[in-house]
Amino acid sequence: MSTNTSSSSFVGFIPSREVRFHSRSMYCFDVDESSHVSCVFSIQDYFYRHAKEEGFRARSAYKLLHVDEVLNIFKGVTRAVDLCAAPGSWSQLLARGLTKNATDAGCSHEDVKIAAVDLQEMAPIPGVNIIQGDITLPETADRIVNI
């Protein structure tokens, strides 16, 4: 297996076939048979399929769910900012989790404040304030603070 250092992808060589994977969605395996590659795609398809069934915009929501499972990062949290938020699956998860936190703490749903910021336009998410802007600009920071 060779690594392409000029981009965020690597190339796996399989007899009579070259397969290119993006580094964020592929784990490094010593791939020597095509059956291993199909196994990797099956794992990706499992999370993709379940994300769509549960209404998440992307399978990356499961990464945040796992982090919360291990570290309990949402406990007591009612305010959050999701930077570089597109397509919005983490914001969807935040809206669900933080609303539950507010209910558990006896707070109203109005106490929950979630801002999702990205350069790309995003479809609305109930309970999330979406800001299209550059996170490095002071104007965007002011918009986040004023939510």
Side-chain angles (χ1 to χ4, degrees):
M1 196 170 296
S2 67
T3 303
N4 181 349
T5 57
S6 64
S7 70
S8 64
S9 63
F10 67 88
V11 178
F13 292 99
I14 299 172
S16 75
R17 189 169 157 198
E18 179 182 303
V19 181
R20 189 173 293 271
F21 301 100
H22 190 276
S23 61
R24 282 183 47 191
S25 62
M26 173 65 191
Y27 300 102
C28 294
F29 291 113
D30 288 326
V31 180
D32 58 357
E33 296 178 18
S34 62
S35 61
H36 289 128
V37 173
S38 63
C39 174
V40 171
F41 287 123
S42 297
I43 291 168
Q44 290 175 354
D45 291 344
Y46 170 82
F47 286 108
Y48 175 82
R49 188 173 53 253
H50 282 283
K52 295 304 175 191
E53 288 171 4
E54 291 188 34
F56 291 121
R57 296 179 180 188
R59 60 194 172 101
S60 60
Y62 294 107
K63 294 175 185 179
L64 187 58
L65 277 171
H66 180 72
V67 169
D68 184 49
E69 235 176 67
V70 173
L71 302 174
N72 202 17
I73 61 173
F74 292 149
K75 184 177 182 181
V77 175
T78 56
R79 295 173 182 223
V81 178
D82 184 3
L83 300 176
C84 305
S89 60
W90 283 26
S91 296
Q92 287 178 302
L93 188 61
L94 284 168
R96 293 179 188 182
L98 302 191
T99 302
K100 181 183 178 307
N101 285 353
T103 303
D104 292 348
C107 300
S108 72
H109 292 258
E110 288 80 36
D111 293 331
V112 175
K113 303 287 185 200
I114 303 167
V117 185
D118 202 287
L119 288 171
Q120 296 179 4
E121 187 174 345
M122 290 174 46
I125 300 170
V128 177
N129 296 292
I130 296 175
I131 299 171
Q132 185 175 1
D134 185 345
I135 61 172
T136 64
L137 297 178
E139 311 77 73
T140 305
D142 290 341
R143 290 174 62 194
I144 294 168
V145 170
N146 291 327
I147 288 179

